[in-house]
């Protein structure tokens, strides 16, 4: 015997709600990017299209701050992004270039514990081939630039409340050569330059704290950074 007819609309509503809840976090792993204002919305749309074109079924999440308009949020949702509003995390460095205002917000990806693994991509990157292999990275994978520094534009992160809290507790103490998250992360993962190169087909036990994505590997899997990204590197590396 089914439920009485009067209950059916309620049941339908519950099923719909369950489906919607499922849609909010359909997968255990996600691609994530960050948008601070409307200027980069096109970058996020291009990135989203490039991710979708690889045929992935994983969630695409864009963390948006208050500076992002309702119109942009709707556009991104229509593109297939899960839009999550966040508040900016204060930058503890008193003297800092204005472009780094709020960049500590990026640390919030370490707190996305509803996902087991996230691949973070800056809004000025594009994916040109499937990069699903990088989800197999352990706790933390990043790019090494100029053989000494970790670049925070592309990272594979295993979200962890413990790690996030530990980071937040050190934000005031650890130096940041950029005045932003990248400098902080380089202090936090001080030994990053000595990390082993991540190889998806030969996982290590125990899992190392950090591994690096080699430039070669990057080119192989098809991650490219756009022109403005290169300019960005040149600016920060001169800091
Ligand atoms: C970290 O995540 C938890 C659980 O989702 C949340 O309650 C908390 O507000 C987050 N912290 C920050 C600083 O965003």
């Amino acid at each position: 015997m089914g439920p009485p007819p009067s209950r059916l609309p309620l049941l339908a509503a519950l099923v719909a709600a369950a489906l919607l809840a499922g849609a909010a976090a359909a997968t255990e792993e996600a691609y994530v990017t960050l948008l601070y204002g409307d200027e980069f919305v096109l970058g996020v749309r291009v990135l989203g299209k490039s991710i979708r074109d690889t045929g992935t079924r994983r969630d695409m999440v864009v963390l948006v701050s208050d500076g992002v308009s309702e119109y942009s949020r709707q556009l991104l949702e229509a593109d297939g992004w899960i839009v999550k509003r966040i508040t900016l995390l204060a930058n503890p460095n008193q003297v800092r270039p204005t472009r780094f205002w709020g960049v500590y917000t990026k640390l919030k990806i370490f707190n996305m514990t509803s996902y087991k693994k996230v691949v973070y991509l800056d809004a000025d990157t594009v994916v040109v081939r499937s990069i699903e292999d990088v989800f197999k990275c352990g706790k933390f994978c990043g790019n090494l630039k100029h053989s000494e520094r970790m670049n925070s534009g592309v990272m594979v992160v295993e979200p962890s409340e413990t790690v996030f809290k530990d980071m937040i507790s050190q934000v005031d103490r650890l130096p940041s050569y950029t005045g932003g998250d990248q400098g902080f992360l380089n202090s936090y993962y001080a030994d990053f330059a000595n990390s082993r190169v991540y190889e998806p087909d030969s996982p290590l036990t125990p899992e190392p704290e950090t591994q690096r994505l080699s430039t070669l590997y990057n080119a192989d899997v098809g991650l490219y950074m756009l022109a403005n990204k290169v300019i960005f590197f040149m600016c920060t590396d001169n800091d």
Side-chain angles (χ1 to χ4, degrees):
M1 258 201 355
S6 61
R7 295 266 173 86
L8 279 175
L10 175 65
L11 200 62
L14 284 175
V15 168
L19 286 174
L20 279 174
T27 57
E28 294 188 326
E29 299 174 334
Y31 291 95
V32 176
T33 193
L34 203 50
L35 186 60
Y36 300 110
D38 284 345
E39 309 81 29
F40 263 107
V41 73
L42 183 61
V44 175
R45 298 191 73 191
V46 171
L47 171 63
K49 170 84 165 68
S50 77
I51 294 171
R52 276 280 169 262
D53 282 352
T54 67
T56 187
R57 296 174 64 87
R58 288 177 168 85
D59 281 1
M60 301 194 316
V61 181
V62 56
L63 306 178
V64 302
S65 69
D66 288 345
V68 178
S69 68
E70 169 70 19
Y71 178 73
S72 293
R73 281 185 265 130
Q74 282 174 2
L75 273 183
L76 293 171
E77 259 165 16
D79 285 353
W81 287 97
I82 295 167
V83 177
K84 288 206 161 110
R85 297 182 72 170
I86 51 161
T87 50
L88 297 176
L89 209 57
N91 184 332
N93 293 295
Q94 298 300 312
V95 183
R96 60 185 186 266
T98 26
R99 70 179 182 277
F100 290 124
W101 186 75
V103 284
Y104 275 82
T105 304
K106 200 186 266 189
L107 300 184
K108 288 202 178 188
I109 64 175
F110 290 86
N111 196 35
M112 294 180 72
T113 48
S114 57
Y115 291 104
K116 286 196 169 140
K117 198 73 63 74
V118 302
V119 169
Y120 172 81
L121 300 164
D122 264 356
D124 52 4
T125 57
V126 282
V127 178
V128 296
R129 272 197 299 280
S130 175
I131 55 165
E132 306 265 282
D133 253 10
V134 293
F135 280 101
K136 285 193 251 163
C137 165
K139 295 175 184 169
F140 179 86
C141 272
N143 278 298
L144 196 66
K145 281 273 162 182
H146 308 297
S147 63
E148 49 169 343
R149 280 169 180 162
M150 198 275 297
N151 177 270
S152 63
V154 175
M155 299 185 286
V156 187
V157 169
E158 188 177 79
S160 153
E161 200 184 344
T162 313
V163 172
F164 179 68
K165 283 187 172 159
D166 186 50
M167 281 180 172
I168 296 308
S169 76
Q170 301 201 47
V171 151
D172 290 327
R173 277 190 289 120
L174 290 180
S176 168
Y177 77 92
T178 57
D181 64 274
Q182 178 164 308
F184 171 80
L185 288 168
N186 271 277
S187 295
Y188 189 82
Y189 292 119
D191 202 30
F192 184 79
N194 298 318
S195 310
R196 198 195 76 141
V197 174
Y198 163 65
E199 288 167 39
D201 298 324
S202 45
L204 293 177
T205 37
E207 244 172 31
E209 288 301 311
T210 60
Q211 292 175 83
R212 59 193 174 89
L213 305 166
S214 82
T215 327
L216 193 67
Y217 176 80
N218 257 355
D220 278 351
V221 296
L223 251 177
Y224 284 99
M225 293 176 181
L226 302 180
N228 56 351
K229 187 71 193 180
V230 175
I231 294 160
F232 179 77
F233 284 157
M234 284 161 67
C235 293
T236 57
D237 285 346
N238 287 338
D239 283 356

